[in-house]
Amino acid sequence: QVQLVESGGGLVQPGGSLRLSCAASGIIFSINFMGWYRQAPGKERELVAGITSGDRTDYADSLKGRFTISRDNAKNTVYLQMNSLNSEDTAVYYCNVYSGRTSYWGQGTQVTVSS
């Protein structure tokens, strides 16, 4: 059974940083894509960043330069380094993994940016 375990969320002050991690287990096929989405209250879920098996990365335009996605293939883990956080980054962040023509989602981790 595939499991995605997210960690690293929490409360941070404006201008601060957080690093999210998502470890995938039970994956049988190669992982084609790993990414992070977020959903703020009253808004639709949106792509934050993604990384392919070939290490090609993609970011939401508004987040380029502040967020960095990376992956450790040996650990089936994807990371999201978030810097210069502001209140608009407050949301539930979801890990997404695409493998074997199936999309898997984590349970979500809350990120709150507030003083």
Side-chain angles (χ1 to χ4, degrees), residues 39-55:
Q39 188 166 18
K43 295 187 177 180
E44 294 188 353
R45 191 174 297 188
E46 61 175 355
L47 175 68
V48 174
I51 184 167
T52 69
S53 57
D55 286 337

Side-chain angles (χ1 to χ4, degrees), residues 16-70:
S17 299
L18 282 176
R19 188 190 193 211
L20 305 182
S21 300
C22 172
S25 61
I27 299 285
I28 298 176
F29 300 103
S30 297
I31 295 177
N32 306 110
F33 172 90
M34 303 184 84
W36 291 93
Y37 289 73
R38 70 184 184 184
Q39 188 166 18
K43 295 187 177 180
E44 294 188 353
R45 191 174 297 188
E46 61 175 355
L47 175 68
V48 174
I51 184 167
T52 69
S53 57
D55 286 337
R56 190 187 76 180
T57 58
D58 190 25
Y59 295 91
D61 287 341
S62 61
L63 302 176
K64 288 179 181 177
R66 293 196 298 123
F67 289 15
T68 303
I69 191 169
S70 60

Side-chain angles (χ1 to χ4, degrees), residues 1-109:
Q1 185 175 353
V2 175
Q3 274 192 315
L4 304 183
V5 179
E6 298 150 336
S7 60
L11 174 64
V12 63
Q13 291 187 342
S17 299
L18 282 176
R19 188 190 193 211
L20 305 182
S21 300
C22 172
S25 61
I27 299 285
I28 298 176
F29 300 103
S30 297
I31 295 177
N32 306 110
F33 172 90
M34 303 184 84
W36 291 93
Y37 289 73
R38 70 184 184 184
Q39 188 166 18
K43 295 187 177 180
E44 294 188 353
R45 191 174 297 188
E46 61 175 355
L47 175 68
V48 174
I51 184 167
T52 69
S53 57
D55 286 337
R56 190 187 76 180
T57 58
D58 190 25
Y59 295 91
D61 287 341
S62 61
L63 302 176
K64 288 179 181 177
R66 293 196 298 123
F67 289 15
T68 303
I69 191 169
S70 60
R71 62 189 282 176
D72 184 333
N73 291 328
K75 297 181 179 179
N76 279 350
T77 299
V78 62
Y79 305 96
L80 183 69
Q81 178 66 43
M82 305 185 293
N83 298 326
S84 301
L85 289 163
N86 58 62
S87 59
E88 293 185 350
D89 297 315
T90 294
V92 178
Y93 285 70
Y94 296 91
C95 174
N96 176 251
V97 170
Y98 188 79
S99 172
R101 291 185 286 182
T102 301
S103 185
Y104 301 95
W105 292 91
Q107 79 284 358
T109 184

